[in-house]
DNA sequence: GTTGACACTAGACTATACTCCAAGGTTTAT
DNA sequence: ATAAACCTTGGAGTATAGTCTAGTGTCAAC
């Protein structure tokens, strides 16, 4: 069981952020000690890890909350509902995946075009690197 | 040449957003007509498309501004600087790519585990779907 | 047994990214 | 030629996601 400061250090977020997430229903410590200190278990660690990953790739806290709520409300929701909701999210993730690949390609084209030497980067622009790809978005 | 409303419709953002981006140095219309109306060219369209893609995958407007500024300041910056900056961004993009793949996998596992019928989604939870992957983040 | 590091709550403050409104000028279709 | 639909600026307001402060309590080590 980790105290809030320990989890914060491990997850590289602030204590305040953890308390903020708790206030918004994203994560609740498994236990509290006698003094009221939050105590986090392994599953809490997994949970915060998921939250941070999802946030990193552009989900809002609200969306993440919905995803995590599937756990809590699993008995009330029918499989059909869950599947539909998740499939919608998969579509979003796929789109995001395509966009991140496009950006990666642009950045890599840019990096390759750049000599890496001392000459001015006259031909090094993101938009040049994007080229015709830009038309597809 | 498109007027602001036409570009807004095409790019699926509001006029206000375009003016907001302009105020923050992300995009400037190529021309203005006599009355002061903004007129956007094809390259402006590419530019807004890049901005929206980059934003979608988690870059802040500030970071996007830096990426786009490579174009403006290209003559002052050495290739070496540009390459280094871009390579840093590529590393971030790669990390984001890994995380989005992880989330996609979780969502897909979840979707597959769900029957898609009328039974309660008792075993359908994101965190169960995440499984051991959660340890790696 | 006290000091320093850490914990608690409640609430104010901040940054980012819009979004809306007011008061006016322009363009387009009838 | 006039009304609807569009454009302009400036500034206020909102949502999201923290971040900080104040005042207080707890714990671990010396």
């Amino acid at each position: 069981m980790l105290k809030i400061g320990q989890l914060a250090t491990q997850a590289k977020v602030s204590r305040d952020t953890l308390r903020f997430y708790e206030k918004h229903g994203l994560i609740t410590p498994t236990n509290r000690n006698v003094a009221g200190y939050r105590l986090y278990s392994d599953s809490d660690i997994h949970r915060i890890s998921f939250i941070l990953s999802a946030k990193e790739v552009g989900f809002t806290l609200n969306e993440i909350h919905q995803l995590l709520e599937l756990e809590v409300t699993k008995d009330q929701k029918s499989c059909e509902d869950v599947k539909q909701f998740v499939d919608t999210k998969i579509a979003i993730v796929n789109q995001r995946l395509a966009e991140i690949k496009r950006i990666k390609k642009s950045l890599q084209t840019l990096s390759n075009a750049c000599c890496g030497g001392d000459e001015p980067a006259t031909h090094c622009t993101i938009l040049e690197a994007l080229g015709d790809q830009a038309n597809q978005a």
Side-chain angles (χ1 to χ4, degrees), chain A:
Chain A
M1 292 295 223
L2 301 177
K3 279 188 283 181
I4 197 166
Q6 298 172 306
L7 178 58
T9 303
Q10 198 175 307
K12 285 170 195 154
V13 293
S14 74
R15 280 157 244 210
D16 278 328
T17 297
L18 291 173
R19 285 188 280 248
F20 176 81
Y21 287 170
E22 182 174 345
K23 198 159 78 185
H24 288 77
L26 289 165
I27 187 167
T28 315
T30 302
N31 282 305
R32 295 264 188 158
N33 73 4
V34 197
Y37 285 26
R38 291 165 178 82
L39 297 172
Y40 297 94
S41 68
D42 276 6
S43 85
D44 294 329
I45 298 171
H46 290 169
R47 200 178 171 90
I48 192 72
S49 149
F50 176 78
I51 293 168
L52 297 177
S53 282
K55 210 173 71 67
E56 176 81 4
V57 299
F59 283 106
T60 66
L61 295 189
N62 223 306
E63 289 171 318
I64 296 167
H65 186 251
Q66 286 182 296
L67 284 170
L68 290 168
E69 238 190 4
L70 293 175
E71 185 187 29
V72 174
T73 62
K74 57 188 175 184
D75 292 323
Q76 292 104 288
K77 275 192 202 293
S78 80
C79 255
E80 185 61 30
D81 289 345
V82 171
K83 202 180 181 67
Q84 214 150 60
F85 178 78
V86 170
D87 286 350
T88 309
K89 294 298 173 190
I90 288 174
I92 293 170
V93 164
N94 276 331
Q95 201 188 318
R96 229 159 256 180
L97 198 59
E99 263 156 4
I100 203 157
K101 278 178 181 167
R102 176 184 158 212
I103 285 175
K104 182 180 171 178
K105 201 173 162 184
S106 309
L107 289 172
Q108 237 148 18
T109 305
L110 182 51
S111 176
N112 293 343
C114 284
C115 49
D118 295 326
E119 301 159 46
T122 311
H123 302 296
C124 302
T125 90
I126 275 289
L127 293 173
E128 253 178 51
L130 262 173
D132 293 310
Q133 290 174 71
N135 289 311
Q136 293 161 21

